[in-house]
Amino acid sequence: MDFEKTWTEIECSKCNYKNDLQLLDIKLETKIYCSNCKTCIQLKDDNASFYSGINQMNNFLKDFNNLFK
């Protein structure tokens, strides 16, 4: 399982519409556009918390998977 490909949703600050995105989008600080009002949303990963958290989770899942091989 690649944790970066996990889907989540964020709310648009302008219209409150819930937009779907992958955790990788947050990690890479991608710009997305609200599907409802087309407002540009600049994703921000303060202190690289998503970047390090996603990498740690992927490593944990890889190690866990290797236990059963």
Side-chain angles (χ1 to χ4, degrees), residues 1 5 18-19 23 28 32 36-38 41 44 60:
M1 176 180 179
K5 308 262 179 178
K18 293 184 181 185
N19 294 277
L23 294 180
L28 298 177
I32 65 166
N36 186 48
C37 70
K38 308 303 183 219
I41 303 168
K44 203 76 170 135
F60 170 77

Side-chain angles (χ1 to χ4, degrees), residues 7-45:
W7 288 89
T8 190
E9 59 184 29
I10 63 165
E11 226 175 69
C12 175
S13 59
K14 186 174 181 182
C15 71
N16 297 324
Y17 184 82
K18 293 184 181 185
N19 294 277
D20 293 328
L21 65 135
Q22 291 182 312
L23 294 180
L24 180 62
D25 294 324
I26 300 170
K27 179 180 173 180
L28 298 177
E29 298 185 341
T30 306
K31 284 183 186 177
I32 65 166
Y33 292 90
C34 176
S35 298
N36 186 48
C37 70
K38 308 303 183 219
T39 297
C40 180
I41 303 168
Q42 174 64 59
L43 301 174
K44 203 76 170 135
D45 184 11

